[in-house]
Amino acid sequence: MIPLSIPEMTGKELFYIKECLDSGWVSSAGPHVKLFEDRFKDYIGAKYAVATVNCTSALHLALMCIGVREDDEVIVPSLTFAATVNAIRYLGAEPVFVDVCRDSYCMEPHKLEELIGEKTKAIMPVHLYGQTVEMECVMEIANKYGLKVVEDAAQSLGSKYKGMSTGTIGHAGCFSFNGNKLITTGSGGMLVTDDEEIASRALYLSTQAKDLNHKGAFYHNDVGYNYRMSNINAAVGLGQLEDIERRIQIKKSISDLYYKHLTGVDNIVLPVKKTYCDTVFWLYPILVKYGAKYDRTSLEEKFCQSGIETRTFFTPLHLMPPYVSHRHGDLENTEYISMLGLNLPSSIGIGDDEIIKVCRILRHE
Ligand SMILES: Cc1ncc(COP(=O)(O)O)c(C=O)c1O
C-alpha cells in the first residue's frame, strides 16, 4: 500500500510528551503551548501566534477578530475544503464564491473586484495543495476597498510567495497540524498575525473569554470558546517543528521526482512552476485531461488495484446543499479543475521507487 499522506514521528516528540506527563501539565495551560507558539512565529516570520485545537477554529477566530459579523460577505474560493467556508457560516456571514486560476488552482484575483459589494468585509485566499495565491494582487484589491484578508494556509506550510511565507501576508493566516499535514500535532492549528489586537483577542476568545484582569475568578465579558491547543498536542508540535527543514527538502524532492518522470506524459497536466514562488507541495496535484483514453475515474481504479492511494480534488462547495444558495461569480475554472484534478501520494516517508511506480501507471507502462 502506498498511502496518500501519512504522519512521521522521528524527532523528539516522545521526549516533549514525557515532559508534559512527568510535570502533570497536559492541558492548555501548560508551558509547551507558549514555547510552540514562540518557535512557530519565529520560524514563519510573524509577530504573534496563537495555538488552537485545529485550523478550523483558528479560521473562526481570525474572522471574528478582524470583525466579520452576521450578514457580512466574505469572498472565498469554492474549490477548497469545507472548513474554510464553514468558519464564515459559524458567524452568520455569507460566503461569496470566486473562481480559481487554471494554473495554480487558487483564487483568481482578477475576478475579485466584480464580486465586491457594500456588504463585503473580507477576502479568504486558500493556498491549495501548497501552491500560492497571487497575494500581491489580492492585497492591492483589499487595500483599495478597505477589506481584511485571512489566509487559509492549512495546506501550505513551508511555501513562500515572493520570499514571504504563506499565512504571513494578509492580516491573519491559519495553519493546520492535522495528521496528514507537513507537521502534525495530532490535531491542531495556529493563527499567525502581525497585529497585536488580533492576537490578544484571539487568545482571549480561545480560552473561554476569561477576563484575567478581573478581580473575581471566572469572570467573562464575552461568549468565548474552548479552542486552545493542549500541552500534549503542543509537545508533539515542538518535536515536529524541529524537523521541518528536512521535511520541506523531502517534499521538494518528491515533487522534483514527479516532474522528472511525468513531464511530457500524454493526457495529464502538471502544476505550473512559477519562478517567484517557492512551492512546497503538500500533495502533488495533476489534472487528467478531459476525454483522455484513461480518464480520471479509470486511473483512480488502476491506482486502487495497485494499492496506491490517490485523492480527487475537492468537489466545489457551491454545488453542495449547505452552500448552494450563496452568491458567486463565474466558476468555470473551478468546475473544470475539480472534475479533472487528482492528488498523488506525497508522504514524507515515500520511497523513490514508490514514486516511480506511481509514474509508471500514469505512463501506462
Ligand atoms: C484548506 C483547508 N482549510 C482548513 C482545514 C481545516 O483544518 P483542520 O482539520 O486542522 O481543522 C483544512 C484541513 O485539511 C484544509 O485543507
Side-chain angles (χ1 to χ4, degrees), residues 243-289:
D243 188 36
I244 193 165
E245 280 308 325
R246 183 186 72 92
R247 287 163 183 264
I248 287 173
Q249 289 320 313
I250 291 175
K251 284 282 189 190
K252 286 185 173 174
S253 52
I254 292 171
S255 53
D256 285 350
L257 211 55
Y258 276 130
Y259 275 120
K260 182 173 163 199
H261 290 279
L262 295 177
T263 298
V265 172
D266 273 353
N267 294 325
I268 59 170
V269 179
L270 306 184
V272 176
K273 283 185 188 174
K274 293 187 177 161
T275 49
Y276 52 88
C277 296
D278 186 5
T279 306
V280 178
F281 287 100
W282 167 54
L283 299 176
Y284 189 79
I286 62 163
L287 301 184
V288 184
K289 281 187 190 159

